[in-house]
Structure formats: structure tokens, C-alpha cells
Amino acid sequence: MRKSRADEFLEFASARTGHLFRSACLLTSGDTHLAEDLTQETLGRMYALWGRMARIDNPAGYAQTVLVRTFLSHQRRRSATERPLGEVPERAPDRWDDPVLRIALLDALAALAPKDRAVVVLRYWEDRSVEETADVLHVSSAAVRTRCTRALAKLRERLGGSIVEFAPR
């Protein structure tokens, strides 16, 4: 029996939502509410395209591309510079078991410009190549390398001498 379009999409969405949300959290520097909105918008856009997905080789990769483009569109659409003060909300334990590490890295990511943050997330969180990142962001490979170098320098400056503490042991 052939699955319906809706059933296929529900299966895809169930499998990818967690990963999309984690990527969105990194892009938004820990703003879980905005990350939820970006994830929902991404899934909505994917559902609208779902009938034409046969032409796309890697739907999961395409969903990540849609997420990053949605994030960048959000950053351009309105000023997102205001952030509420307070503590980072508790989340389920994940790879970042140390809350001090998580907060320091999210603060350092928040200090980056949105496109720099997108480059860092795509290159080092999503483990994409320079060319794939350039394609997602609609820029040249040289621009990705330049942004990456500058963003990493800013992260090193922001984290200071304590960067060694953040390296995996």
C-alpha cells in the first residue's frame, strides 16, 4: 500500500524536527521561542513543496537550507536586536551537559552578525563544505571562507584564553 503525501511528510517531520530545532537554537543564539518559530516555518515551507520533493535528492539537507534561509530572511525582515534578559531556559540534556559551556558558547555566537553565525553553524554544526555553505547562503566560496575566518577570530577573541577549556577532552 502506498503512503499518502501527508503520511510521508509526517514521517519526515517526525524524524527531522529535533535536528532542525537544535540548528535553529544555534542560529538564534539560544532563543528557543524564535527557534520554534523558525522550525515551524521551515516545516510549513517543506510541506508546501512536498509534492515536488521527488526532484530533490536530499530532503533533510534541503530542509536545513530552508531553515538557514528562513533565519536570514527573519533577520532582514525586522530588527531582532532586542533580547529579553534573564536566565537561559532549562532544556533536556544533550551534548552540552555543562551549562557554563553552553551559555558561554551561546553568548559568543550571539555576538556574531547573523550571516557570520549562519556560516559557523553550517560549517561546524552541520559539517557542510565551503561550497555547500556558499550555495545555501547565495554567496561565493571565497566569501564563506572570509566570513568563517573572521567569525572564528571573533569567537576566539570573545572566549579569550578560556577557549582551551571548551575543547573536548
Side-chain angles (χ1 to χ4, degrees):
M1 177 178 3
R2 188 167 185 270
K3 289 184 183 177
S4 73
R5 176 180 172 225
D7 290 338
E8 288 175 356
F9 179 77
L10 282 174
E11 186 177 312
F12 169 80
S14 297
R16 296 303 302 169
T17 298
H19 188 75
L20 287 169
F21 177 73
R22 286 187 295 277
S23 293
C25 282
L26 290 173
L27 287 169
T28 62
S29 302
D31 184 345
T32 56
H33 300 292
L34 179 56
E36 288 172 354
D37 291 345
L38 292 173
T39 302
Q40 284 292 53
E41 190 169 340
T42 297
L43 290 173
R45 290 180 182 187
M46 290 296 294
Y47 184 74
L49 299 169
W50 199 252
R52 297 175 277 173
M53 290 305 283
R55 295 185 301 205
I56 297 174
D57 294 334
N58 183 359
Y62 188 74
Q64 288 298 128
T65 299
V66 170
L67 175 67
V68 170
R69 289 180 182 166
T70 302
F71 165 72
L72 292 174
S73 174
H74 176 269
Q75 293 298 310
R76 282 189 303 267
R77 189 169 47 237
R78 61 186 172 133
S79 162
T81 58
E82 294 181 14
R83 293 185 46 101
L85 298 176
E87 295 182 29
V88 176
E90 290 298 319
R91 296 185 304 161
D94 57 10
R95 288 197 282 183
W96 295 357
D97 291 336
D98 182 10
V100 174
L101 168 64
R102 182 176 57 234
I103 291 170
L105 291 175
L106 288 174
D107 285 346
L109 277 173
L112 296 176
K115 285 188 178 180
D116 290 346
R117 200 174 322 141
V119 166
V120 170
V121 169
L122 287 170
R123 289 283 292 128
Y124 299 103
W125 177 257
E126 294 297 324
D127 198 27
R128 292 195 181 201
S129 70
V130 171
E131 293 75 22
E132 290 172 327
T133 303
D135 185 49
V136 169
L137 298 175
H138 297 298
V139 296
S140 68
S141 296
V144 169
R145 286 190 291 273
T146 300
R147 277 195 179 279
C148 195
T149 300
R150 290 179 184 162
L152 289 176
K154 287 178 186 175
L155 287 175
R156 285 185 193 101
E157 179 183 314
R158 175 98 171 154
L159 294 172
S162 64
I163 197 165
V164 175
E165 297 173 21
F166 300 124
R169 294 178 184 140

